[in-house]
Amino acid sequence: MLEKALKGSPRYWGTLTALGMVMLLGLGFWLYQLTFGMKITGLNRDVSWGFYIAQFTYLVGVAASAVMLVLPYYFHHYKEFSKMIILGEFLAIAAVVMCLGFIVVDIGQPQRMLNVLLNPTPHSVLFWDMVVLNGYLFLNIIVGWTSLQYFKNDMTPPKWVKILAIVSVIWAFSIHTVTAFLYAGLPGRHYFLTAIMAARFLASAFCSGPAILLLLVLFLRRLTGFDPGQKAINRLAVIITYAMCVNIFFFLLEVFTSFYSNMPGHMAPLIYLFNGIDGHTMMVPFMWTAVVLGLGCLLFLIPTPVRQKTPALVTGLIMLVIASWIDKGLGLLIGGFTPNPFEEVTVYSPTIPEIMISLMIFSLGGIVLTVLWKIAIEVRVEVEGGNLSMVPPPAAE
Amino acid sequence: MKNSRREFLKLAAVSAMGIGAARLGFLGDAPAHAAGLPTVGNYEEGLKAKHWGMAVYSAKFTPERIAACRKACHDEHNVPDIAGPKEIKWFWGASYEESFPTEHGHYLSEEVEHRQFPLLCNQCETPMCVKVCPTQATFQRPDGIVMMDFHRCIGCRYCMAGCPFGARSFNFQDPRPFIKDFNPHFPTRMRGVVEKCNFCAERLAVGKLPKCVEAAEGALVFGDLSDEQSDIRKVLREHFAIRRKPDAGTSPSVYYIL
Ligand code: SF4
Ligand code: SF4
């Protein structure tokens, strides 16, 4: 099936070229980082993890999006998802590739990375995170690729694929839980030190991941003739809405615990994020934007008549993605490291090289995703007929 | 296996220093320092303890004394002098509020409020930095000292997130150009690894006290916390001492007499 990636419209090649150029540009900055070290980042002694690890954390959530399809499909035989499921699995592959990429660029001695395997250290959560991430990557590659192959040959996939798919559902919970445990067990970081961290990770993953998937699918529907089915879209939108409500609820639990208990250490990061400390207010506009968008998106997503209109749905989803990205892709890490262990504020903001290197990884993910989705859709067109003329079909809303 | 590898490295280092330094003097600074090089005999006199600890007479610490200790430590260990938030520090001074942020004393005695407290890695009994390190580059010796294997560190900085005391520094850049007085008896680090105070394990091995203890002229007491007869236990029996952030659960081995 790989050959399907090698033939395509100018638009397909154009997309890949554009992503490739961004990647090359970012690669230049990464070489710069490899030559001069992490001093080119905005990281420092107090905020020792930043933009890279935050993107990693966010993308672990995106990788979960598949679960919200695989779970109803395999556990409850919800067949409406059959057209989207492969897209979800392939998005998970791209997301995990990006996760691993962000870890690689974040490490000060990347050439020693294998030390984690050579000296397996079961008391370090990072070791387990590596295990579950790579495991999830392979599970999705195997399940996604084999089921597509069987679909192409018009055969039902063998039983072991189904079993692996079910394993991958449980496994997806583990990638979130273990990634949350990376943070949740640290005694000196109050914003991380919360029993609900893994639950928050799951809630935010199960809204933001499928939201990105759905946005991409809707975009794809406009771009090509591929239609996953309105029923599937509606159902996924409902799942996203519930997950977002839970996500917000969990966050409010944190706020209550911190402020009702009045524990200084637990309040400080929230105060820093939403109000600023000692005049350091860099994060304040971001966090309030997240609040407004996070609550605002519910206006579009909760009322069913509104949610079922595509433009409103798209608006709500975009708001949701931005809000959850600020929460996890910026706030979580910065709030965890500020104030520092001396209860002082050291300001962190990502530098341009840091952002360019992140763009490199995002474009890498984009390339992986474009190629995989191209294959998936072509196979579908081949089996079911239809066109890939890249012209919006007249029927699309 | 791992321990024997480290033993071997240690032996290899000893012989390299003892034999190599004299012969390979043409390599650089060595002749000037060769006289001070430890011999195998020195290693037989190494100081031993069940659990090393430190008591700090904080009232005896003026900013000058902290600066002197800091210089002694940093010179000894080739700690680069880098300014700004990416700095590297093994030994430094901080206010009461920064040192004991969980105490939140509103009405401090003026003298304590203005006092500078010497800070360093607490060499915790149950160190979080060791627990989180995925490569065992940070490890704890049987005598309690929390050590760094610079060659094994991958620079993930998980230990920095794990340490509740901000005791660790990361080499964001090549530290060597920032080392003023190079000490050939201690390795320099490379870019991309984490480092911190090591209780002068390399000096204890040849029967010497930590460098800061030497420079503190009695304001720091070093010894075996598990030996009731030791100086440090005597000091701690006689004075009221607190530890930094005991609620973090790492059980620091550095005690501050207020
Ligand atoms: S003070 Fe920090 S670096 Fe030192 S042993 Fe304790 S946890 Fe580790
Ligand atoms: S930065 Fe080095 S010492 Fe610290 S946790 Fe990572 S590998 Fe271990």
Side-chain angles (χ1 to χ4, degrees):
Chain A
M1 289 184 296
L2 263 180
E3 77 282 351
K4 297 219 181 307
L6 298 176
K7 268 186 294 172
S9 65
R11 193 174 335 188
Y12 169 69
W13 287 113
T15 312
L16 287 188
T17 316
L19 288 170
M21 306 250 273
V22 178
M23 210 179 120
L24 273 183
L25 186 64
L27 186 70
F29 281 92
W30 189 36
L31 291 178
Y32 173 56
Q33 176 178 303
L34 287 175
T35 316
F36 293 98
M38 302 286 284
K39 78 166 191 194
I40 62 145
T41 67
L43 294 167
N44 50 60
R45 213 176 168 283
D46 294 322
V47 187
S48 50
W49 281 345
F51 201 69
Y52 297 149
I53 293 295
Q55 301 323 302
F56 153 74
T57 313
Y58 189 70
L59 290 167
V60 173
V62 177
S65 54
V67 171
M68 289 289 108
L69 304 164
V70 177
L71 195 144
Y73 183 79
Y74 283 104
F75 281 66
H76 306 290
H77 308 287
Y78 186 74
K79 292 297 168 210
E80 297 292 338
F81 280 154
S82 62
K83 282 190 172 179
M84 239 198 287
I85 205 156
I86 184 77
L87 299 182
E89 274 160 357
F90 282 174
L91 176 62
I93 294 176
V96 180
V97 167
M98 289 189 270
C99 287
L100 296 172
F102 274 113
I103 294 187
V104 172
V105 297
D106 185 68
I107 284 178
Q109 286 289 333
Q111 73 280 19
R112 290 186 188 160
M113 213 161 40
L114 284 182
N115 276 7
V116 180
L117 286 176
L118 297 175
N119 314 291
T121 311
H123 52 70
S124 171
V125 187
L126 203 63
F127 166 72
W128 292 109
D129 208 35
M130 187 215 62
V131 171
V132 295
L133 276 176
N134 283 298
Y136 192 64
L137 180 62
F138 287 119
L139 276 175
N140 274 288
I141 292 179
I142 295 170
V143 173
W145 196 257
T146 343
S147 37
L148 191 63
Q149 199 130 39
Y150 277 87
F151 175 77
K152 183 169 179 263
N153 301 334
D154 209 9
M155 287 156 70
T156 11
K159 207 164 169 66
W160 62 265
V161 174
K162 194 180 166 181
I163 294 171
L164 280 190
I166 289 169
V167 171
S168 86
V169 170
I170 300 160
W171 203 281
F173 284 86
S174 82
I175 65 172
H176 290 85
T177 309
V178 175
T179 307
F181 284 177
L182 273 184
Y183 305 98
L186 305 179
R189 313 282 171 183
H190 300 290
Y191 198 53
F192 296 158
L193 185 65
T194 158
I196 210 178
M197 186 59 98
R200 277 189 68 196
F201 266 54
L202 288 166
S204 103
F206 290 160
C207 63
S208 62
I212 290 177
L213 175 67
L214 194 48
L215 281 171
L216 289 171
V217 165
L218 290 171
F219 184 59
L220 193 73
R221 188 172 75 174
R222 279 199 86 140
L223 221 55
T224 72
F226 177 78
D227 186 5
Q230 191 60 38
K231 246 180 132 181
I233 292 176
N234 289 347
R235 178 57 68 99
L236 194 56
V238 172
I239 294 176
I240 293 168
T241 310
Y242 278 112
M244 184 60 178
C245 293
V246 176
N247 187 26
I248 293 176
F249 175 64
F250 282 175
F251 179 74
L252 292 175
L253 295 184
E254 300 275 20
V255 175
F256 172 81
T257 312
S258 302
F259 286 93
Y260 194 80
S261 72
N262 203 32
M263 299 265 285
H266 289 276
M267 292 190 293
L270 285 168
I271 295 176
Y272 174 67
L273 290 176
F274 287 97
N275 179 60
I277 293 178
D278 299 337
H280 297 294
T281 53
M282 195 198 92
M283 286 303 290
V284 176
F286 286 103
M287 295 314 286
W288 285 105
T289 310
V291 170
V292 171
L293 293 179
L295 292 175
C297 75
L298 294 180
L299 296 178
F300 294 87
L301 293 177
I302 291 182
T304 307
V306 182
R307 184 181 61 237
Q308 287 186 343
K309 294 205 180 61
T310 308
L313 177 63
V314 169
T315 316
L317 291 179
I318 290 177
M319 289 165 79
L320 186 153
V321 169
I322 298 175
S324 61
W325 181 78
I326 294 176
D327 171 40
K328 264 175 99 196
L330 287 177
L332 180 78
L333 263 278
I334 295 182
F337 284 96
T338 328
N340 65 16
F342 314 100
E343 298 212 344
E344 305 263 289
V345 174
T346 309
V347 178
Y348 163 77
S349 53
T351 57
I352 296 204
E354 223 171 329
I355 290 172
M356 295 308 298
I357 292 170
S358 304
L359 279 184
M360 166 181 88
I361 310 260
F362 281 125
S363 356
L364 170 69
I367 291 175
V368 173
L369 187 72
T370 312
V371 170
L372 288 177
W373 278 26
K374 164 96 171 4
I375 296 175
I377 288 167
E378 286 224 352
V379 167
R380 205 158 259 286
V381 167
E382 188 186 296
V383 174
E384 294 185 337
N387 77 85
L388 261 183
S389 56
M390 300 283 177
V391 179
E397 295 130 275
Chain B
M1 274 308 276
K2 272 162 208 140
N3 278 335
S4 63
R5 180 179 146 249
R6 281 196 176 119
E7 290 301 321
F8 171 75
L9 286 178
K10 217 157 72 186
L11 267 177
V14 176
S15 34
M17 277 195 246
I19 307 160
R23 292 213 191 128
L24 305 178
F26 59 87
L27 282 181
D29 287 321
H33 294 271
L37 279 177
T39 62
V40 174
N42 293 123
Y43 281 89
E44 279 157 10
E45 289 153 23
L47 298 179
K48 299 211 166 46
K50 268 219 182 101
H51 191 97
W52 288 114
M54 187 184 271
V56 180
Y57 280 110
S58 67
K60 291 192 189 167
F61 272 95
T62 55
E64 294 72 36
R65 179 159 280 154
I66 290 180
C69 291
R70 176 188 168 97
K71 185 171 172 3
C73 167
H74 285 196
D75 284 353
E76 171 80 9
H77 298 108
N78 294 320
V79 178
D81 198 3
I82 296 169
K86 291 184 169 68
E87 73 186 314
I88 300 210
K89 42 190 189 182
W90 285 31
F91 191 106
W92 71 103
S95 69
Y96 178 85
E97 306 265 323
E98 290 170 81
S99 310
F100 304 96
T102 44
E103 300 293 323
H104 295 279
H106 268 318
Y107 309 108
L108 285 180
S109 97
E110 256 186 50
E111 192 272 322
V112 170
E113 193 175 352
H114 294 118
R115 197 183 286 171
Q116 286 274 304
F117 290 79
L119 301 186
L120 67 166
C121 165
N122 288 290
Q123 309 290 347
C124 306
E125 272 172 50
T126 46
M128 207 57 202
C129 54
V130 172
K131 202 179 207 174
V132 297
C133 177
T135 63
Q136 297 154 47
T138 302
F139 62 99
Q140 190 172 30
R141 306 201 312 186
D143 62 4
I145 299 184
V146 176
M147 295 280 286
M148 278 289 307
D149 182 339
F150 304 119
H151 300 281
R152 193 181 267 199
C153 173
I154 58 172
C156 66
R157 310 188 297 293
Y158 200 1
C159 52
M160 297 175 84
C163 170
F165 304 95
R168 298 187 150 247
S169 310
F170 179 65
N171 285 286
F172 285 95
Q173 56 203 309
D174 181 10
R176 284 159 193 146
F178 299 90
I179 299 171
K180 269 185 285 177
D181 294 308
F182 172 65
N183 170 15
H185 298 175
F186 198 80
T188 56
R189 271 74 66 191
M190 70 195 306
R191 136 161 78 72
V193 300
V194 168
E195 59 180 78
K196 69 167 190 78
C197 148
N198 64 350
F199 256 10
C200 284
E202 80 286 355
R203 289 172 58 88
L204 298 176
V206 292
K208 291 186 196 161
L209 283 174
K211 199 77 185 182
C212 59
V213 175
E214 233 170 50
E217 294 167 336
L220 292 175
V221 180
F222 191 77
D224 189 351
L225 283 172
S226 62
D227 174 6
E228 276 179 47
Q229 309 306 323
S230 65
D231 284 354
I232 182 166
R233 283 291 293 275
K234 186 159 165 277
V235 166
L236 291 177
R237 254 196 309 277
E238 285 165 6
H239 298 87
F240 172 68
I242 60 174
R243 298 189 283 178
R244 292 172 67 201
K245 294 194 190 170
D247 51 343
T250 62
S251 198
S253 307
V254 177
Y255 290 76
Y256 291 84
I257 300 161
L258 286 189

